[in-house]
Amino acid sequence: MDYRKKKRLTYFTIGLIFLFSGIEYAVILPTIWKYLQALEAAPYFLGLALSAFSLSGLLSGPLFGHLSDKTRTTKKIILFANCFEIIGNFMYFMGFSKWLLLASRLVAGVGTGAGSAIFGFLSRSTAPEDRASVFAAAMACRQAGLLIGPAFNLFLRLCDFKIGPFVVNKFTAPGLFMCLMWILLQLAVVFMYWDLPAQEQGGPAQGVASGAREDVEGETRRGRGPSLPGQPEEESQEEEEETEETDESKPLMTSSNELQGSYGAVVSPDPAGSPVTNGDHARPSESPEPEESAGPFSRFNLSREFLREEVIVLLAAQFITLFNQTALETMVTPLTQKYFDFGELENSVMYCVCGAEVIAGFLFVHWLSRRAKERVVLAVGLAICNVSSVWCLVFLANPIGDFPYQLTEFIIGVFLQVLGLPFVAVAQVSLFSKVTSEKTQGFSQGVRRSVGGLATILGPLWAGGLTENMYIMLGVIMALLLLLTIMMGFSYDRLVHPAATEHAEDDSDDEHE
């Protein structure tokens, strides 16, 4: 099977993973409250069950990401993580007690940690200029799952039969359904997923990617530099012939193991990124052996990697946007019941319309990201979110007027809030993958997703206690967005893909002349 077909199938499988995660959320959430009530659980158990799912994902994300960075593989990690989804959903289906239900969400949440390894894989296997559009497509798949998930409940709620000792009804059927879906996904990962080489990420400015050391080693031993991912094969062969004819000393120098070993053992890169003494003969990008043996975390420094201005801004964007989103989602249902007397049908229609808007937004960002820089997309998204927060504070904290007027205010507020999410979500994920080290993308993406997981835990807790104090809740949301906008304004110039020389201290093998 050729490389292009493997790549298409791999990306298709990644899309299925995100699609199924969205379906699971949309299938479980509408019924879990009544399921807990049937098991005689206290009201606070709903918060515990939802938080348990996020908590285990928060903890497992960095771990799976770290393993992905160390092994440079994701297929085995995905297969392992999906086992937790299968077991957790089967426990949800069993449903003998409220404690088993709580444990089921805790176990299933571990499986979501594979997302950090997947984002790390996408960061390593895509070029920087294509990364935002790829991330937008992956996120759109999850939103598609959230959109079509409620449709499965239309037939799941009709289930009423037994499988041995297990009862299949409208409460337990979602667990059995998702268990079977994740089993099918395991087969898709086995037969349709490949750990693609990382040379796809390189561009003219990144001729030697840190994840393609084997290709670099092979090319240098044959007496020529590594060819770019988009370079035609014929052109590469011509360059090889020219190099062999005109430069006899280069293959001798680059294939000398003694020289490379002594370079890696004695010469250390200058912290400021200045050229080393014998840089003309052996650059760090041509000495993969010492780096390969040391591993991607050999020069990794936690504080140096994450306590940087641009990284803090992007992590703040991740936390604030998800905190605000989950807080508003928690607030919407009581608000529509209080002012518009919405029932399950009306709320389902509203969520479907919002899901369609989000998918359209991600598709638009997918197109826009190829024509505008990520920081511009992020600025546009924050501007929309700020307008939305002001609108909600003015018109939704205490709606006035008759029913049509209040409904119009509500629709505009929700439309603006949902409109800004794709811009901020895609831009901050793509930028985060560029301002952090490419060799430790799995771990870095795990940290980013853990920050988001913390926000999804705290957001509902914050909003749930303030449904009768809308001015305080919406005021805090507006203040957080204003703070994020100010932070981005001061750090705007740093929200770009840094040159290789700026990371000589922790990415010495990516340094170029």
Side-chain angles (χ1 to χ4, degrees), residues 6-20:
K6 287 183 178 180
K7 184 177 180 180
R8 284 196 296 267
L9 290 175
T10 299
Y11 283 5
F12 175 76
T13 307
I14 290 175
L16 287 180
I17 294 172
F18 284 101
L19 178 72
F20 284 11

Side-chain angles (χ1 to χ4, degrees), residues 20-169:
F20 284 11
S21 67
I23 291 175
E24 179 179 5
Y25 184 87
V27 167
I28 297 292
L29 190 63
T31 58
I32 189 172
W33 171 230
K34 291 186 177 180
Y35 193 2
L36 287 168
Q37 287 180 319
L39 296 173
E40 299 180 352
Y44 66 84
F45 252 78
L46 175 61
L48 288 178
L50 297 178
S51 299
F53 186 80
S54 299
L55 178 63
S56 55
L58 181 152
L59 298 175
S60 64
L63 176 61
F64 288 147
H66 177 75
L67 290 176
S68 174
D69 293 330
K70 295 276 289 185
T71 62
R72 285 295 192 239
T73 61
T74 53
K75 183 173 183 175
K76 293 180 180 179
I77 294 173
I78 294 172
L79 291 172
F80 178 70
N82 285 349
C83 291
F84 287 92
E85 290 279 10
I86 295 170
I87 296 172
N89 280 286
F90 188 78
M91 293 168 61
Y92 187 91
F93 160 66
M94 293 167 62
F96 292 134
S97 70
K98 59 185 179 182
W99 295 106
L100 181 62
L101 194 66
L102 178 61
S104 72
R105 301 314 294 157
L106 190 67
V107 172
V110 176
T112 63
S116 59
I118 293 173
F119 276 111
F121 164 78
L122 292 175
S123 299
R124 291 189 296 265
S125 62
T126 56
E129 60 270 16
D130 298 329
R131 204 167 293 167
S133 59
V134 172
F135 287 165
M139 293 178 179
C141 288
R142 187 178 188 277
Q143 293 299 323
L146 293 173
L147 179 62
I148 66 177
F152 290 105
N153 276 330
L154 294 178
F155 71 86
L156 290 177
R157 65 187 180 88
L158 302 177
C159 295
D160 188 14
F161 57 92
K162 283 189 175 183
I163 301 179
F166 305 114
V167 177
V168 183
N169 55 33

